[in-house]
Amino acid sequence: MANIFCMRSFMVISVGVTCAAALTLPLAAPALSAPVPTAPVPHASSARPPSPSPESPGAGPPAVRTAGPGTAEDRSAETPAESRSAGLAGSTQSLPLEPLAAPSDRSAGPAAPGRGLDRRTTRPFSLVGVVWDDAGAELHGRVQVRTRAVGDGSWSGWQDVETHNAEHAADLDSDERASGTVRGATAPLWVGASDGVEVRVHPEAADEQGRSIAVRLPDGLRLELVDPGPDPASAPAGDATAGRTAAPAGLAVHPGPPPTGTAAVVPEALTAASAAASAVNAELAPLGASVIPALSEAETAEAAEPNAPGAKPYIGPRPKIVTRKGWGADEKLRERNFAYTRTVKAAFVHHSATGNNYTCKQAPSVLRSIYRYHVKSSGWRDFGYNFAVDKCGNIYEGRAGGVSRPVLGAHTLGFNSNTMGIAVLGSYSSTTPPAAAVTAVAKLTAWKLGLFGGNPKGKVTLVSGGSNKYKKGKKVKLNVISGHRDGFATECPGARLYKKLGKARTSSARLQGR
């Protein structure tokens, strides 16, 4: 088995750029060069927001403004030719918010002046969010949007956008945070295929007595409208979905970047960037695979044997994981290099706060939208979370760098080092997460924490990088599987999901054989 492991370790991918370059650890600023406008590609989407409210006409759309030239910045893919060759598309419309007159009634929100946009026609989009210039500034107030459905022209009722997201970010002293490109941002909201929008942002905060007071909104408020583009084409020949074609040696404890120098054939559908992103998973699945296949308990134990001969490995069976190729990540969007931390001591569970109006078939579109929002709108180097889980229990690769490796994410401000972040797609403050999603969290943590010796039912001491809950340098004892709120004063991952973490810990430990 050890010989198989060594052989697999030296099966390396060369794609016109060496893996040494692709796996370089130092960070560079995220690429946010001047965009080249491209026409967004309409995509299938049946999810819709809640039914129209009484103030929303139901007999057809009213007159709307059209976002004309000069009113929007187009944050499209920087290299549309390469994106199209890989079957990828998508775009971001960025609209500056305008001053709003104080509302005449309290039903529209606080009386303080705010910013927003009147109803207007736009190019197609499926996800919305609001960003501002200073990543360190907080938006105290209420953000609401309503959107017009593609096809029937019906307008949704007003929907609240979560104004958090300062806590979902790179640590304050990280290269990613210091890049100069990072912006403040709300959570993104999935609204389904839309071509019209209206937004209002009203500032509001509470004094020491809990009374509502008007506050100043951050500078540079912009509405981001994200079109994820179409789903990726069918999986290429040789995809791991056809069977367990990858040697199980990939379950080895993080062995470091693979060596370079051996050439391999690159599937025609892969660009250099997407091949490099696949190469870091080469020990788990063929180059360009859409899925990393699951391993049985016996296969998992056999794969772990070279690393702990004669000892019982506490590693759960590897679950099936949809790769970035599988959900259609455009690798040209992210910063080129990968960044790693030393180990993985804990997992922080989040909810994406994007709402629950999506189908599992649409989950890849939701992921592409969040990815684009994190990189193009928020200025991050890549998708923020290490993994994502949808309501049906499907597990997805998040930030690039290798699913078995300790990839440095931007998910829990102050605690990104030596941890991983898992986002359950949806909003779970008042909605109970599906059992399948909780089970997926248990399966994923049993495997990934097991690679690094983590006990899902245990405790671990982490050093804070600075948050609104723990000052920088403070040693904090946390559960190995924690909720986001354990490291930051936030509602994330939502009260209903947070209550399920005890079950996830127990199930995860059982899968490890503890």
Side-chain angles (χ1 to χ4, degrees):
M1 189 66 200
N3 290 335
I4 294 176
F5 174 76
C6 292
M7 290 175 64
R8 291 293 295 174
S9 296
F10 282 88
M11 292 182 65
V12 183
I13 313 305
S14 176
V15 292
V17 293
T18 65
C19 285
L23 297 174
T24 304
L25 300 188
L27 293 174
L32 292 174
S33 56
V36 178
T38 59
V41 179
H43 51 94
S45 175
S46 60
R48 288 302 305 154
S51 300
S53 64
E55 59 187 305
S56 303
V64 296
R65 293 179 56 188
T66 300
T71 63
E73 175 186 350
D74 186 354
R75 296 182 181 145
S76 304
E78 287 79 15
T79 53
E82 181 165 5
S83 296
R84 288 168 184 161
S85 69
L88 301 171
S91 66
T92 301
Q93 301 168 75
S94 186
L95 304 165
L97 299 189
E98 303 164 353
L100 290 177
S104 58
D105 60 25
R106 300 297 295 177
S107 65
R115 301 189 74 85
L117 293 173
D118 294 331
R119 290 189 183 190
R120 63 189 59 207
T121 294
T122 66
R123 292 186 287 115
F125 64 92
S126 290
L127 179 138
V128 303
V130 172
V131 301
W132 53 94
D133 295 340
D134 184 0
E138 295 186 25
L139 193 161
H140 295 286
R142 189 177 190 185
V143 178
Q144 294 180 299
V145 300
R146 53 183 170 188
T147 55
R148 187 178 65 193
V150 168
D152 64 10
S154 63
W155 284 85
S156 73
W158 286 107
Q159 297 188 87
D160 286 310
V161 179
E162 286 201 17
T163 57
H164 77 288
N165 229 36
E167 65 266 28
H168 298 82
D171 289 343
L172 297 175
D173 59 352
S174 67
D175 291 339
E176 182 172 358
R177 186 62 176 253
S179 66
T181 65
V182 180
R183 305 177 184 90
T186 67
L189 178 68
W190 176 261
V191 294
S194 307
D195 60 8
V197 70
E198 182 177 8
V199 62
R200 58 192 184 194
V201 181
H202 290 292
E204 185 176 20
D207 62 15
E208 294 179 356
Q209 287 72 42
R211 294 173 300 191
S212 177
I213 58 174
V215 294
R216 186 175 182 272
L217 291 172
D219 293 331
L221 287 170
R222 303 182 72 90
L223 176 67
E224 304 287 292
L225 305 176
V226 180
D227 171 27
D231 286 327
S234 300
D239 196 324
T241 55
R244 292 178 179 138
T245 58
L251 284 173
V253 174
H254 175 52
T260 62
T262 304
V265 177
V266 178
E268 185 177 352
L270 293 183
T271 63
S274 58
S278 295
V280 289
N281 290 317
E283 294 175 354
L284 310 178
L287 181 67
S290 295
V291 172
I292 295 171
L295 294 180
S296 69
E297 184 176 355
E299 289 170 326
T300 302
E302 181 183 1
E305 181 66 19
N307 302 295
K312 179 181 180 180
Y314 289 106
I315 300 176
R318 186 178 75 197
K320 183 178 74 173
I321 301 172
V322 179
T323 65
R324 290 171 63 91
K325 175 70 164 58
W327 56 263
D330 183 350
E331 301 298 347
K332 296 299 292 184
L333 292 181
R334 64 174 174 83
E335 201 275 330
R336 180 175 60 86
N337 298 320
F338 307 132
Y340 299 101
T341 185
R342 186 173 59 85
T343 185
V344 178
K345 294 182 177 181
F348 282 98
V349 179
H350 307 254
H351 66 173
S352 64
T354 45
N356 302 314
N357 295 308
Y358 74 94
T359 66
C360 293
K361 185 177 181 181
Q362 293 171 331
S365 292
V366 177
L367 289 171
R368 293 195 303 278
S369 297
I370 296 174
Y371 173 41
R372 179 173 277 276
Y373 185 74
H374 281 177
V375 176
K376 303 299 295 179
S377 301
S378 302
W380 299 0
R381 68 187 305 274
D382 193 357
F383 190 85
Y385 309 103
N386 298 104
F387 296 92
V389 171
D390 68 22
K391 63 176 70 174
C392 292
N394 298 304
I395 300 171
Y396 302 86
E397 177 184 15
R399 179 163 287 208
V403 296
S404 66
R405 303 179 186 277
V407 177
L408 178 64
H411 49 85
T412 306
L413 182 64
F415 293 97
N416 289 305
S417 293
N418 300 325
T419 69
M420 68 174 182
I422 304 169
V424 180
L425 298 181
S427 301
Y428 298 105
S429 294
S430 58
T431 300
T432 299
V438 178
T439 297
V441 170
K443 289 180 178 179
L444 176 58
T445 52
W447 172 69
K448 183 63 181 280
L449 290 173
L451 296 180
F452 298 88
N455 180 353
K457 291 199 299 184
K459 300 279 187 178
V460 65
T461 299
L462 301 175
V463 179
S464 172
S467 73
N468 66 353
K469 193 169 185 177
Y470 299 107
K471 66 180 181 180
K472 184 177 180 179
K474 182 175 178 60
K475 294 182 178 180
V476 184
K477 192 172 186 179
L478 297 168
N479 289 310
V480 170
I481 298 179
S482 287
H484 187 182
R485 62 176 63 184
D486 295 322
F488 198 99
T490 174
E491 292 185 3
C492 186
R496 298 290 183 90
L497 178 55
Y498 188 76
K499 289 180 179 179
K500 296 293 184 180
L501 295 187
K503 179 177 177 60
R505 295 183 191 106
T506 301
S507 299
S508 182
R510 186 183 303 117
L511 287 167
Q512 285 191 350
R514 296 182 187 269

